[in-house]
Amino acid sequence: MKKAGLVCTLLAAGISFAACTSKRAEAAAQPASSQSSSTETEAKEAEKEEKITIPPLDVNVPILRDAVAAPSGFGRNIIFGAAVSSGEYRDDKYMNLIFQHFNAVTLGNELKLDCMNGYYMGNRAPRGIESAVLNGKTIQVPSLDYSRANAILDKIVAWNEAHPQTPVKVRGHVLVWHSQAPEWFFHKDYDASQPYVTKEEMDTRLEWYIKTILEYYTSPKTQTGKKYGKYFYGWDVVNEAISDATGTYRSDTEPGQDKLTDPTHGSKSSWWKVYQSNEFIINAFRYANKYAPPELELYYNDYNECTPKKVRGIVALLKAVKDAPGTRISAMGMQGHYSVYNPDVFLLKDAVRAYAEVVGTVMITELDMKASSSFNGTNLEEEYLLQAKQYRKLYTALLELDKEPGITISGITFWGVTDPYSWLQGFSGVGGGADGKQKQCPLLFDGAYKPKPAFYAFTDDSRLDAILQTK
């Protein structure tokens, strides 16, 4: 099959279907001011696409997205997604699971500020400075690198064009976050050795960045927006702005081993350092509303979101955003970095009800499950059963909540598909992360790309019962 210059052939269970992989190098992308030349480059690169073969679909298991939409599930189509990053999208078996079982993806890192800077010099400096026009004024801005995100999105677009009946949508993640935001972005001349800029100057940078990203990916007035925009269903505007320690806004003095002088931060917020208020949060939603298409949903997203103290802080944030003039917020994103023991279902339900009282709609956005303390990487059977029981409890609770008046559960997204790729396998100093010392098995598919017992918590309750009764 030939479509838009791309030749793709995939065989599945004797049925022909299509998807493409991009050979675009990760090295460099044209800055925002050179979108026309970037488009020409993309067209030339498209001619270099090669035939690939994706492994066959497993026809012996239920389809996750269909099971969740069935009358025994939510009774309607919801977002049922998984995270994908630069490592996973090159794995044909991984992508095949996404195309078979999910109807949406979240790019794990590729739309974050540090990646948009190309991780240049370990995030210690911008990759270049160029001129841009904002509100009639010429300003100096860092050159952005769209290549990593575009490589993944190109593969999604190719699948969607070949399979309009089973398209995969995209969640943008994330515009404003204290972590993975290079420290130089907050300083004069984009130089971390210089003083912090004023709140007014930072606000100009904030508006420019949100405008640039949203117009590039979602505006019908740009070539890239025409290509990608129809597949984006929503965007995380602000991420993790509430403190675990205080239950109020995350500040520049947040507990943690990181320092403000570090290239990026795990806990401390340079956004707060500059603004000293929640104004950057309000303005982020204001600018997102200004530049996003009206149909693009806008979210706040956070972890440890079932802890009562933090729930109260998140509710205050949601109310502040909703009540501010010129803003728009569509839903609350509960990340769902849980464990086989926590959270208690009652806490989960209380949290969902509290958020829904403000914004009406709630999504689970980064679901995974840390292992028990006794898991050593070999006692898989025992751990898989613990995990399956906990996933069943959580899923059952979400189905019950969705039936309550005033509450809509509009999506469930897992933070990955197969266990070996999970971020929990390594150390992470950001919220919801692991210490990297213990083996983890947090997702629905194992390292052989096969469904685990937890898979049937979402697809076949009777089969899960049979598994549990035989163990």
Side-chain angles (χ1 to χ4, degrees), residues 3-45:
K3 185 176 285 287
L6 305 181
V7 181
C8 320
T9 304
L10 307 175
L11 297 176
I15 302 172
S16 178
F17 65 107
C20 295
T21 187
S22 173
K23 287 176 67 67
R24 176 180 289 104
E26 289 195 355
Q30 296 296 326
S33 61
S34 304
Q35 288 180 8
S36 60
S37 59
S38 176
T39 303
E40 293 173 4
T41 301
E42 288 181 1
K44 292 178 181 178
E45 288 172 345

Side-chain angles (χ1 to χ4, degrees), residues 80-392:
F80 198 78
V84 59
S85 292
S86 293
E88 293 107 341
Y89 95 97
R90 295 185 179 90
D91 183 335
D92 291 341
K93 292 182 179 180
Y94 187 99
M95 293 305 296
N96 196 47
L97 289 176
I98 286 181
F99 294 142
Q100 179 177 8
H101 289 287
F102 299 90
N103 60 23
V105 295
T106 301
L107 274 60
N109 291 298
E110 288 70 20
L111 290 171
K112 293 173 181 173
L113 182 55
D114 60 349
C115 189
M116 280 292 158
N117 185 55
Y119 304 117
Y120 186 72
M121 291 182 62
N123 293 310
R124 287 175 172 80
R127 58 192 293 271
I129 301 294
E130 62 189 34
S131 297
V133 177
L134 179 68
N135 298 325
K137 180 182 177 181
T138 300
I139 59 175
Q140 297 300 300
V141 299
S143 301
L144 299 182
D145 178 355
Y146 303 92
S147 63
R148 291 172 176 83
N150 289 0
I152 299 174
L153 293 174
D154 286 346
K155 198 162 192 176
I156 300 301
V157 169
W159 169 268
N160 290 344
E161 289 178 346
H163 301 83
Q165 301 305 314
T166 54
V168 173
K169 298 180 181 180
V170 182
R171 182 190 190 94
H173 178 75
V174 54
L175 294 172
V176 174
W177 188 26
H178 71 279
S179 186
Q180 292 186 243
E183 178 63 17
W184 53 259
F185 190 62
F186 303 91
H187 291 259
K188 182 179 178 181
D189 298 328
Y190 301 105
D191 181 346
S193 68
Q194 298 294 316
Y196 283 95
V197 296
T198 63
K199 180 175 66 174
E200 293 73 22
E201 172 63 22
M202 197 66 234
D203 211 52
T204 296
R205 295 181 182 185
L206 174 63
E207 181 175 3
W208 162 79
Y209 182 72
I210 290 176
K211 175 181 185 292
T212 301
I213 295 298
L214 291 180
E215 288 186 345
Y216 182 92
Y217 283 111
T218 67
S219 172
K221 297 180 180 179
T222 65
Q223 289 300 314
T224 46
K226 291 177 183 177
K227 179 179 182 180
Y228 301 123
K230 58 189 170 184
Y231 301 119
F232 278 92
Y233 69 87
W235 214 291
D236 291 322
V237 178
V238 177
N239 197 45
E240 301 178 7
I242 297 298
S243 167
D244 292 305
T246 66
T248 58
Y249 291 106
R250 179 183 298 275
S251 76
D252 52 311
T253 60
E254 200 73 15
Q257 297 300 312
D258 60 325
K259 302 175 183 177
L260 282 178
T261 53
D262 294 341
T264 59
H265 309 137
S267 60
K268 295 174 176 62
S269 173
S270 290
W271 289 104
W272 190 272
K273 174 68 176 179
V274 173
Y275 282 84
Q276 291 296 305
S277 76
N278 71 347
E279 188 176 351
F280 72 94
I281 300 170
I282 304 300
N283 286 349
F285 277 94
R286 185 173 288 132
Y287 297 142
N289 185 36
K290 179 178 179 180
Y291 295 110
E295 66 274 12
L296 186 76
E297 295 186 350
L298 304 177
Y299 313 120
Y300 175 71
N301 195 51
D302 214 330
Y303 71 99
N304 281 355
E305 70 284 358
C306 296
T307 305
K309 178 170 69 173
K310 195 165 181 180
V311 170
R312 292 190 290 271
I314 293 172
V315 166
L317 182 153
L318 295 176
K319 289 180 177 178
V321 170
K322 186 177 180 181
D323 293 343
T327 62
R328 175 166 64 89
I329 183 168
S330 308
M332 167 64 192
M334 298 176 65
Q335 289 186 12
H337 294 301
Y338 300 148
S339 79
V340 296
Y341 301 125
N342 296 302
D344 185 283
V345 167
F346 294 106
L347 290 179
L348 173 74
K349 288 187 171 183
D350 286 347
V352 170
R353 290 171 183 139
Y355 302 141
E357 187 175 350
V358 183
V359 293
T361 301
V362 175
M363 311 179 84
I364 306 298
T365 59
E366 304 182 17
L367 185 58
D368 54 20
M369 195 169 287
K370 291 189 186 73
S372 65
S373 58
S374 62
F375 181 58
N376 58 19
T378 60
N379 52 333
L380 289 171
E381 182 176 298
E382 175 185 351
E383 192 67 26
Y384 283 2
L385 296 182
L386 279 175
Q387 182 189 74
K389 292 176 183 177
Q390 180 71 347
Y391 267 126
R392 173 190 265 178

Side-chain angles (χ1 to χ4, degrees), residues 370-373 375 422-440:
K370 291 189 186 73
S372 65
S373 58
F375 181 58
S422 172
W423 73 308
L424 295 177
Q425 304 296 359
F427 169 79
S428 177
V430 300
D435 60 13
K437 298 177 181 179
Q438 184 186 13
K439 293 282 188 180
Q440 299 288 341

Side-chain angles (χ1 to χ4, degrees), residues 413-427:
T413 294
F414 291 82
W415 210 236
V417 177
T418 62
D419 288 340
Y421 281 112
S422 172
W423 73 308
L424 295 177
Q425 304 296 359
F427 169 79

